[in-house]
Amino acid sequence: MPQTARTIVIHETGGPEVLRIEDRRIGDPGPGEIRIRHHACGLNFIDVYQRMGLYPLELPQALGMEGAGIIEAVGPGVPHLKPGDRAAYAAAPPGAYAEARVMPAAQVCPLPKSIGFDQGAAMMLKGMTVEYLFHRTTPLKRGDTVLFHAAAGGVGLIACQWARSEGLRLIGTAGSDEKCELALHHGASACINYRSEDFAQRVRDLTDGAGVDVVMDSIGADTFVGSLDSLKPLGMMISFGNASGPVPPFDLAMLAQRGSLRITRPTLFTHIADAAICQDMAQHLFSKVTKGDIQIRIDQRFALDQVADAHRALEARQTTGSTILEV
């Protein structure tokens, strides 16, 4: 039965002012689809990239890649979900900034009863990102050292705890002493205030000149060269975001000159394209949370109609932990 749901939509790219709230018509799910009524949805930098046009979308387009709520209806060919189930997801296409939506079911995951909807909305995209960074990108073993930028953000605080739970040494960076303290509290072995220190030089000091095994960098342009300079020979650079802008073209010889370095630019959505892998990643994340290895910290909450303010806070790097929109 058709109904409407308040939904955040963009008709053009630009600043937070292009975000509009509209009543959108939603119907019943078709084959392989579900209809979910959200309790909360997550805020992520990919939403900003899409709003700005860095990641182009066909317009008009609803935004949001992460949400949690109750399954209202299930189309044919959806064996893992039924009406009334609690569920959470990080998935394409965008559209999570909404009271309810119809969407493909493959990447929607049953949510354990012990995990709240706000936690589910805050952790799926960020937590599964950490899962693939630590388990599906390059081999890591107990005792290895990782440099993780933006360690006090939503992804970063999960990464600090994940590293601690697996015996990895994580050196973080953050933009203030207060944010550094937050990262340390969540499991970072050290955290560098990049506004007051040269982080690459500080990493060398912390590793007795050796450098780190892996850099996980979601900042992009501002940290790229320093990240390369923080690696030991044969180290791996994982560039997985562009918070300061995309990395400009560079000479591959830079990698040879710095010790035969390796580099990759993965995305979560490549990893979760396989439905079985997506469900496995979610279960790994859920187990970390339910065992207490990871606590999901939600430091900012906005109403759905305050989404522009939420975007402004995220872009200004005024947030810590995760941010959710309450529906």
Side-chain angles (χ1 to χ4, degrees):
M1 178 182 298
Q3 54 184 294
T4 61
R6 291 192 309 150
T7 305
I8 303 299
V9 180
I10 60 169
H11 291 258
E12 60 185 337
T13 58
E17 69 279 358
V18 304
L19 296 162
R20 301 183 188 178
I21 189 162
E22 300 178 357
D23 286 324
R24 277 204 155 186
R25 188 178 177 89
I26 58 172
D28 294 323
E33 294 182 331
I34 55 92
R35 185 173 70 235
I36 184 169
R37 183 155 297 275
H38 293 130
H39 284 235
C41 56
L43 184 74
N44 296 282
F45 250 103
I46 190 172
D47 309 338
V48 174
Y49 303 152
Q50 291 172 344
R51 191 206 73 219
M52 294 172 61
L54 180 61
Y55 294 173
L57 298 171
E58 185 174 343
L59 301 178
Q61 176 65 58
L63 291 187
M65 307 292 287
E66 181 180 45
I70 296 288
I71 303 297
E72 285 192 331
V74 176
V78 180
H80 67 295
L81 294 166
K82 65 183 185 301
D85 281 352
R86 307 170 79 255
Y89 66 88
Y97 290 1
E99 291 176 324
R101 67 182 294 199
V102 171
M103 64 180 294
Q107 282 73 39
V108 180
C109 305
L111 184 67
K113 291 181 180 179
S114 59
I115 298 176
F117 290 119
D118 54 352
Q119 290 177 296
M123 76 182 201
M124 293 299 288
L125 192 148
K126 303 167 190 68
M128 290 198 295
T129 294
V130 173
E131 203 274 352
Y132 87 69
L133 288 172
F134 282 89
H135 293 276
R136 300 172 193 269
T137 309
T138 191
L140 282 167
K141 63 184 184 301
R142 184 173 293 273
D144 283 350
T145 302
V146 172
L147 173 64
F148 202 100
H149 291 295
V155 178
L157 292 183
I158 295 172
C160 290
Q161 296 172 82
W162 202 294
R164 179 172 59 186
S165 76
E166 304 209 345
L168 300 167
R169 181 188 183 195
L170 186 145
I171 299 171
T173 72
S176 70
D177 291 343
E178 292 77 14
K179 288 185 175 183
C180 283
E181 286 297 322
L182 191 59
L184 292 169
H185 178 72
H186 283 75
S189 66
C191 193
I192 304 161
N193 183 342
Y194 62 80
R195 296 189 190 279
S196 59
E197 292 188 85
D198 179 335
F199 74 81
Q201 181 57 56
R202 183 66 178 139
V203 165
R204 292 289 171 183
D205 294 341
L206 289 167
T207 58
D208 297 324
V212 299
D213 298 284
V214 178
V215 176
M216 299 177 180
D217 188 338
S218 64
I219 303 301
D222 287 355
T223 51
F224 181 69
V225 174
S227 290
L228 295 180
D229 288 339
S230 299
L231 284 164
K232 63 174 56 173
L234 304 177
M236 168 65 87
M237 164 75 163
I238 305 173
S239 176
F240 69 102
N242 316 281
S244 68
V247 174
F250 66 95
D251 186 348
L252 279 174
M254 290 174 63
L255 305 181
Q257 294 161 1
R258 287 167 168 78
S260 301
L261 304 180
R262 297 168 293 147
I263 188 167
T264 185
R265 179 57 173 91
T267 72
L268 172 63
F269 298 100
T270 305
H271 287 83
I272 65 173
D274 182 297
I277 291 174
C278 176
Q279 297 293 328
D280 183 64
M281 291 171 67
Q283 289 303 315
H284 194 180
L285 172 61
F286 294 154
S287 71
K288 288 280 189 183
V289 174
T290 55
K291 288 190 300 185
D293 290 338
I294 291 172
Q295 296 181 351
I296 304 302
R297 183 178 175 120
I298 302 170
D299 286 344
Q300 298 80 213
R301 297 171 184 264
F302 294 86
L304 190 63
D305 58 7
Q306 295 175 312
V307 63
D309 292 333
H311 273 233
R312 291 186 185 99
L314 184 63
E315 289 181 86
R317 302 189 190 182
Q318 295 172 346
T319 64
T320 55
S322 295
T323 302
I324 62 168
L325 301 176
E326 296 178 317
V327 181

